[in-house]
Amino acid sequence: MKKIIDSWFTVTPIDEKTFAISEFGHWEKVHSFLLIGEEEAALIDTGLGIDNIKRITDQVTKLPIRVVTTHVHWDHIGSHGEFDSVYVHKEEEDWLVNGIKKLPIEQIRHDVSRDITKPTPASFQPETYTPFQGQPTGLLEDGDVIELGSRKLVICHTPGHSPGHISILDTSRGYLFTGDLLYDETPVYAFFPTTDPVQLVLSLEKIANLKNVTKIFGSHNTIGLEPSLLDEVKKAVQELKRQDVIKFGTGIHTFNGFSVQF
């Protein structure tokens, strides 16, 4: 595939059928991921909605695309309305249909418009920016399997950052897509009113015990973390329990390769 040059999105090939689609011009440094199978493609999240991510996916594949939502926060559902097939965990169906809970639109508009370092399209108007709302095509549960044709995605319910947060294991390659449960450089958030520190730590423990992971892809910051990070996660979980700090207000806890804020 020829290299894609775009004014807003950066496309990084992970392998010949897996691509990170990044928005580095925004402080969130958010990544969506396009996984191409033999019969269908999966797009894990659709980004900020500052620009239309479908412009990129149309250049990469002609296969039908199923959007798989890690969680219903505004920076992960921005272009959901451009796709016909959208899936979300059942715990966040209501968020997708009726709006993100306990997050005022004023706060969202402030966050989407600040610290932008690339030119944005004329269609982006921060004062009227509104997160996608709509009925999902289907609902996901823990253990569900999405078959793309020669590529199988296993859904892991990993709540904590949000009630219906999921991680996705691509068993054909050992890629683990962790959404906002695990990434580097900046803290994983578990201090919002809609977050749950206890559930988040249980979810970290859950992914740390997954087998045959070859690479970890969080939705922010570095693209592709080594699976050895899961060993650090195991140690961190035990340390958080030992210190009895898995609760709101205990601040930022820093470990080797990642941090968490309660």
Side-chain angles (χ1 to χ4, degrees):
M1 189 193 80
K2 68 177 182 179
K3 185 175 182 180
I4 295 175
I5 305 298
D6 190 83
S7 59
W8 180 253
F9 297 100
T10 300
V11 181
T12 304
I14 294 167
D15 61 37
E16 72 283 357
K17 291 190 175 182
T18 312
F19 302 87
I21 306 173
S22 307
E23 299 177 71
F24 288 121
H26 189 272
W27 64 276
E28 288 263 21
K29 296 181 183 176
V30 67
H31 313 300
S32 304
F33 297 94
L34 182 63
L35 286 55
I36 300 174
E38 296 297 327
E39 301 164 4
E40 188 180 3
L43 179 60
I44 299 175
D45 295 338
T46 62
L48 296 159
I50 287 175
D51 208 343
N52 183 0
I53 202 171
K54 192 171 186 294
R55 180 176 70 247
I56 302 300
T57 61
D58 282 349
Q59 295 178 65
V60 179
T61 183
K62 301 304 179 187
L63 289 171
I65 292 176
R66 181 193 311 221
V67 171
V68 181
T69 313
T70 61
H71 61 297
V72 182
H73 280 167
W74 59 270
D75 51 325
H76 297 261
I77 61 171
S79 287
H80 269 38
E82 301 296 328
F83 298 89
D84 296 327
S85 181
V86 171
Y87 286 73
V88 67
H89 190 273
K90 64 179 184 178
E91 292 294 330
E92 288 181 18
E93 178 186 16
D94 180 61
W95 288 28
L96 197 67
V97 174
N98 297 311
I100 304 164
K101 296 294 178 283
K102 298 184 180 180
L103 188 58
I105 188 62
E106 294 79 13
Q107 183 65 50
I108 292 173
R109 288 172 177 167
H110 173 266
D111 286 342
V112 75
S113 61
R114 71 180 177 89
D115 301 332
I116 294 175
T117 58
K118 283 186 176 184
T120 58
S123 58
F124 174 59
Q125 300 295 328
E127 63 275 9
T128 58
Y129 175 94
T130 304
F132 170 83
Q133 287 180 228
Q135 191 70 43
T137 309
L139 301 179
L140 300 169
E141 297 186 45
D142 187 60
D144 281 352
V145 176
I146 297 173
E147 297 274 5
L148 302 178
S150 302
R151 196 165 192 177
K152 184 183 295 185
L153 310 181
V154 177
I155 303 302
C156 303
H157 184 208
T158 50
H161 179 71
S162 67
H165 189 286
I166 62 170
S167 300
I168 299 125
L169 180 62
D170 176 359
T171 60
S172 70
R173 289 161 170 77
Y175 297 162
L176 178 63
F177 298 90
T178 54
D180 280 7
L181 173 63
L182 181 63
Y183 48 77
D184 67 353
E185 295 183 6
T186 54
V188 171
Y189 287 179
F191 59 87
F192 298 145
T194 52
T195 60
D196 185 325
V198 172
Q199 287 293 320
L200 185 126
V201 171
L202 289 172
S203 292
L204 285 171
E205 191 169 32
K206 181 175 183 175
I207 65 166
N209 287 304
L210 291 174
K211 305 299 183 185
N212 303 316
V213 174
T214 62
K215 209 79 169 180
I216 301 161
F217 295 97
S219 289
H220 300 275
N221 304 326
T222 300
I223 299 173
L225 303 171
E226 295 304 315
S228 56
L229 180 60
L230 296 180
D231 292 328
E232 299 302 324
V233 170
K234 289 180 184 178
K235 296 175 187 175
V237 166
Q238 295 308 311
E239 185 63 16
L240 289 167
K241 290 178 180 178
R242 186 189 69 79
Q243 293 182 16
D244 190 27
V245 292
I246 308 171
K247 48 196 166 187
F248 287 132
T250 61
I252 298 174
H253 305 275
T254 303
F255 304 99
N256 185 14
F258 78 107
S259 60
V260 181
Q261 185 173 0
F262 297 133

